[in-house]
Amino acid sequence: MSDTFTTRVLHIATGRTETVTDLTHDCEQFLREAAAGRDGLLNVFVPHATAGIAVLETGAGSDDDLLAALRTLLPADDRWQHRHGTPGHGRDHVLPALVPPHATLPVISGRLELGTWQSVCLVDTNISNANRQVRLSFLG
C-alpha cells in the first residue's frame, strides 16, 4: 500500500427529524477521484457528539427499523443526566456508544467493497442540530 492520503468534508443537512442519510454515493464519488483505481481504506468519520456512522441496508425499511430500535433503547424522556437542549437530548449523547462515529471500509481497485445490500449511512437523532459534517479519508 502506498502512502497516499486524501480527505474531504461533506456538509449534510439532516433537517429537524431523526434521520438515516445514505452516504454511499458520496463515498463512491470521493473514491473515484481519491483512490483512482488503487486499493486502500476509506474512513468515514462524523465529528459530532450526537451522530454516528452505520453500515446497513436502506430502502427496505431497515433504516426506519434502526431509528425505531434506537427510540426503544434510548427514549427521548427526562431520565438522562445530560439535560440541555430539547427534552430527552441526553440520549443523543449516548448514541455514539451504540452507533459509532466512524467506519473504516475496504477499497479494492478504487471501489468501495460493500456487500450487496450494504450502504454507508449517517445516523442522526439530534433534532436540534440540522447541519452535520462528515469527513471522508482515503489511505491507499
Side-chain angles (χ1 to χ4, degrees), residues 75-132:
D77 58 22
D78 65 355
R79 74 183 68 200
W80 308 102
Q81 292 182 35
H82 186 108
R83 292 182 188 262
H84 78 82
T86 56
H89 174 66
R91 73 162 188 144
D92 300 325
H93 287 273
V94 176
L95 173 76
L98 301 176
V99 181
H102 59 87
T104 300
L105 305 164
V107 176
I108 307 298
S109 300
R111 297 178 54 97
L112 191 56
E113 192 72 9
L114 293 173
T116 302
W117 305 112
Q118 290 180 317
S119 296
V120 181
C121 298
L122 169 65
V123 180
D124 186 2
T125 59
N126 183 355
I127 62 174
S128 298
N129 187 351
N131 298 302
R132 298 301 188 160

